[in-house]
Amino acid sequence: MIELFSVTKRYASGQVGLDNVTLKIDAGQMVFLTGPSGAGKSTFLKLIYCEEIPSSGSILVNGRNVSSLPRRKVPYLRRTIGVVFQSFRLIPRKTVFENICYLPRILGSSAQEQKELAYETLRRVSLSHRMNASPHQLSGGEQQRVAIARALMNQPEILLADEPTGNLDPELSEEILRLFLEINGQGTTVIFATHDRDLIQRVGRRVLTLEAGQLTGDQKLPGELNDAIGPGQGTMGPGQGTIDLEEEA
Ligand SMILES: Nc1ncnc2c1ncn2[C@@H]1O[C@H](COP(=O)(O)OP(=O)(O)OP(=O)(O)O)[C@@H](O)[C@H]1O
Ligand SMILES: [Mg+2]
């Protein structure tokens, strides 16, 4: 569960990133975060994974106050949170396997463990056949799926996505969105930031709207895609609630 209590983030430059935001996101929820450029979407996500600290207010992630977390404890928090960015952020000269095994390797997993986990995780994003490819040999949508696999390697409780479809065309964007819905259906809490309201229009989940750092909307969209996918609010166990990505393509 993620809880924000009167959270304000004012940058050193004086810019307000977030302005007195209070809200709660239950474990297993899928939430969209929307609003125009500069509204505070990235700030919101950075505060949750402790890339930034709030100027005032507090943030609880799974009951732990992360707004006052000592720097040395941040890596432990990050192990429970996966993050995906618009620009994929893959290491160009490494293979898909090496890219996604970075963290397990430094955490001391054996080569065999890394291989099994990598294969299993790539299978979740339908890319197990590209394990030894380099990022430049993959399409944009495939690169983003690798980035999602990398975020899933730690089996995070929370998956944060900052404009993950920002560099993709509408068709691929929907494919990536469906993948996030599927991951959510397997129990992971997902926060998906996007300014693309058309993309989320049909999904039927909770939508938080930010404007100039303030939370100006918190609504539940009715949606057709939602019905095709099922409840997906974290009540299903792993492996259940899986949707076929081709189904409606
Ligand atoms: N590191 C920083 N230093 C100073 N100001 C910042 C910093 N990061 C963000 N801001 C400011 O905080 C406000 C919110 O920015 P943020 O990046 O959170 O918006 P956003 O909703 O993610 O926008 P976009 O859709 O363009 O990604 C903006 O006014 C921005 O200029
Ligand atoms: Mg942003």
Side-chain angles (χ1 to χ4, degrees):
M1 179 157 62
I2 298 167
E3 287 172 287
L4 277 73
F5 299 97
S6 307
V7 173
T8 292
K9 173 65 188 178
R10 197 169 287 105
Y11 288 100
S13 59
Q15 295 278 357
V16 174
L18 218 56
D19 186 2
N20 196 25
V21 171
T22 296
L23 60 86
K24 183 167 116 179
I25 297 171
D26 287 324
Q29 260 196 347
M30 169 126 190
V31 175
F32 292 103
L33 189 59
T34 182
S37 181
K41 303 179 295 295
S42 297
T43 300
F44 182 100
L45 298 178
K46 286 175 184 171
L47 288 166
I48 294 172
Y49 66 91
C50 276
E51 176 81 21
E52 297 287 352
I53 50 169
S55 311
S56 61
S58 51
I59 302 173
L60 299 188
V61 176
N62 293 335
R64 180 189 288 167
N65 190 339
V66 299
S67 28
S68 57
L69 203 65
R71 280 326 280 181
R72 67 189 159 80
K73 292 213 168 149
V74 169
Y76 296 98
L77 169 82
R78 296 243 177 101
R79 284 181 207 174
T80 65
I81 299 178
V83 190
V84 176
F85 303 95
Q86 173 174 351
S87 55
F88 321 140
R89 299 195 188 180
L90 300 175
I91 305 169
R93 269 175 294 276
K94 304 251 183 226
T95 64
V96 166
F97 173 75
E98 289 163 340
N99 263 282
I100 70 172
C101 281
Y102 174 74
L103 205 57
R105 195 168 59 243
I106 60 172
L107 292 178
S109 297
S110 72
Q112 188 56 28
E113 283 167 349
Q114 287 176 37
K115 220 175 221 165
E116 281 168 18
L117 187 59
Y119 181 79
E120 205 37 54
T121 310
L122 285 171
R123 212 177 50 82
R124 288 177 74 183
V125 302
S126 313
L127 272 183
S128 46
H129 58 297
R130 302 311 302 273
M131 190 126 113
N132 297 314
S134 304
H136 73 266
Q137 296 171 319
L138 303 176
S139 70
E142 287 172 336
Q143 289 185 49
Q144 190 58 298
R145 275 150 56 196
V146 173
I148 293 168
R150 179 181 54 193
L152 292 175
M153 283 293 277
N154 250 357
Q155 287 143 325
E157 292 164 42
I158 298 166
L159 183 58
L160 306 176
D162 195 353
E163 303 271 2
T165 60
N167 284 346
L168 304 175
D169 64 36
E171 212 169 291
L172 279 179
S173 296
E174 183 162 324
E175 183 186 305
I176 292 294
L177 173 60
R178 283 169 171 277
L179 185 52
F180 278 98
L181 289 167
E182 188 176 311
I183 291 164
N184 171 248
Q186 292 160 355
T188 308
T189 309
V190 175
I191 307 181
F192 187 111
T194 178
H195 61 260
D196 184 353
R197 283 196 73 98
D198 287 343
L199 180 69
I200 62 180
Q201 211 53 253
R202 298 195 297 125
V203 176
R205 300 295 170 103
R206 183 175 176 195
V207 179
L208 303 171
T209 306
L210 290 171
E211 283 170 79
Q214 295 183 355
L215 182 66
T216 56
D218 183 352
Q219 37 164 187
K220 171 98 166 61
L221 287 184
E224 343 148 13
L225 260 182
N226 197 33
D227 301 333
I229 284 160
Q233 295 295 326
T235 49
M236 288 181 284
Q240 292 176 287
T242 313
I243 54 157
D244 181 358
L245 287 177
E246 312 294 6
E247 198 174 77
E248 289 189 10

